[in-house]
Amino acid sequence: MKFRRGRLYDAFFISDIHYLLNKKIKSHKHKELFQLLDHLNKKEVRFDNLYLVGDIIENWFFSADRRLQRVKGKKRFNKLFERLDRLSSGNGRKYYIVGNHDTTSYLMRLTPKVEHYLIERGWIICEKAENETLIAIHGHQGQYNKFTWMGSILVLRILHIFASAFPGLFKFSENFYHKHLNRQDPSTVEETLHYYQKLSKLTHQDKKVLISGHTHDFLCIPKMNIINTGDWVKSNSFVIQDGKKFSGIRMTARKEFKKEFVLHV
């Protein structure tokens, strides 16, 4: 598919960028993401509403707050958010939905400096964004409750202290997290349906479209009005809303895009 120059859409959804992450720790597609954002800007494509659906900034294996205080770190933040800000038409809102990798807070809050940085740029920070048509939430709420979250963060903070002193432990920390802390993402059809049924119940979805990230699975379940935006680790995917039509799009190469699914509400 191609983007028509000057096109205005209702909304843009993207998640699981894990920005700032070093490729030595975990793979990512940040270069491709910038290609997408630059292409949309060059085409003067704009969106009334922007939704960052969680895990945008990687804050688990190092302190994003501390990086933001440095000149190089501030430039890296600007490199991403200046591009995102340009896509806003200015007539709607910009939502930053907090995901599990965005924070190591027991209360699920962003770090003070990151929060201040985003608010200054006009982003609305929330756990859930909702209107008459849709609900956007990161999705880790389907795997964590209040107590399992606090326990995971406690262990993660301990690992973080050791990894800060011995960088080689970053990889160990990641593997330890996935093996012992992270509840397994749904893999079978039954597990997937159970996971999204739980999310639907938690969010009081009703007949609205439920949009999430977290599992990194780029998918659409039409019968449940559910969409997962995928990620920028393997999928190179995003979702666009045009009226009552939600299109899941994958970037296949530079300036090349494939529409994977369309959900009509």
Side-chain angles (χ1 to χ4, degrees):
M1 66 166 290
K2 292 185 178 181
F3 289 98
R4 197 178 74 219
R5 181 174 295 278
R7 182 68 191 272
L8 175 65
Y9 292 94
D10 288 277
F12 175 79
F13 304 83
I14 195 167
S15 75
D16 297 275
I17 295 171
H18 295 277
Y19 190 56
L20 302 178
L21 191 64
N22 191 315
K23 272 197 171 183
K24 292 180 181 179
I25 302 171
K26 192 175 181 180
S27 62
H28 59 71
K29 298 293 183 70
H30 298 160
K31 179 182 176 182
E32 289 81 356
L33 173 63
F34 290 135
Q35 289 174 356
L36 164 67
L37 299 178
D38 288 341
H39 178 70
L40 293 175
N41 185 55
K42 189 174 180 180
K43 286 282 189 176
E44 299 178 356
V45 175
R46 296 292 179 264
F47 304 89
D48 280 337
N49 299 286
L50 300 178
Y51 293 84
L52 303 184
V53 194
D55 284 3
I56 303 303
I57 297 172
E58 180 58 54
N59 195 38
W60 277 40
F61 302 113
F62 46 77
S63 171
D65 206 60
R66 196 174 301 152
R67 289 196 172 196
L68 185 55
Q69 296 179 56
R70 304 170 187 166
V71 174
K72 276 189 176 181
K74 182 70 174 292
K75 286 182 178 178
R76 290 195 69 187
F77 270 79
N78 291 342
K79 184 178 180 180
L80 173 63
F81 286 98
E82 284 177 358
R83 284 171 164 83
L84 289 167
D85 289 341
R86 290 190 198 110
L87 298 183
S88 173
S89 69
N91 295 322
R93 296 182 174 183
K94 301 185 296 183
Y95 297 96
Y96 191 108
I97 298 164
V98 180
N100 53 308
H101 274 258
D102 288 304
T103 178
T104 54
S105 162
Y106 292 119
L107 299 176
M108 229 17 228
R109 294 198 57 178
L110 295 178
T111 56
K113 287 185 174 60
V114 172
E115 188 174 87
H116 180 69
Y117 174 86
L118 292 168
I119 291 173
E120 275 196 325
R121 300 190 77 96
W123 290 89
I124 300 168
I125 301 168
C126 55
E127 184 179 335
K128 178 177 73 172
E130 183 174 2
N131 59 32
E132 65 279 358
T133 304
L134 64 91
I135 299 171
I137 191 169
H138 181 56
H140 60 277
Q141 295 85 347
Q143 293 179 323
Y144 292 100
N145 60 40
K146 183 179 179 180
F147 299 105
T148 56
W149 171 258
M150 292 179 72
S152 296
I153 292 300
L154 175 61
V155 177
L156 186 67
R157 285 185 175 192
I158 294 170
L159 289 173
H160 186 271
I161 291 170
F162 285 106
S164 297
F166 306 98
L169 288 178
F170 274 123
K171 193 67 179 178
F172 168 79
S173 298
E174 183 194 19
N175 292 335
F176 185 92
Y177 165 73
H178 283 299
K179 186 175 181 180
H180 299 287
L181 301 180
N182 189 29
R183 297 189 172 193
Q184 292 297 311
D185 290 333
S187 55
T188 66
V189 173
E190 291 78 13
E191 289 173 347
T192 300
L193 288 175
H194 177 74
Y195 168 75
Y196 285 110
Q197 284 167 354
K198 186 175 181 180
L199 267 189
S200 177
K201 186 177 179 181
L202 284 170
T203 58
H204 306 287
Q205 180 189 1
D206 196 23
K207 295 181 180 180
K208 296 181 180 181
V209 178
L210 177 59
I211 299 177
S212 69
H214 184 56
T215 65
H216 293 211
D217 292 322
F218 186 42
L219 58 79
C220 176
I221 309 176
K223 289 184 178 180
M224 298 177 68
N225 272 357
I226 282 175
I227 291 173
N228 190 300
T229 58
D231 64 10
W232 285 84
V233 174
K234 57 181 181 181
S235 298
N236 295 18
S237 55
F238 56 100
V239 173
I240 285 178
Q241 179 190 0
D242 184 14
K244 294 188 176 182
K245 182 175 71 174
F246 293 81
S247 301
I249 302 167
R250 188 190 302 271
M251 181 177 174
T252 56
R254 188 183 182 117
K255 299 182 182 180
E256 294 182 15
F257 306 92
K258 180 182 178 184
K259 191 177 292 185
E260 299 256 327
F261 59 79
V262 177
L263 176 64
H264 294 274
V265 184

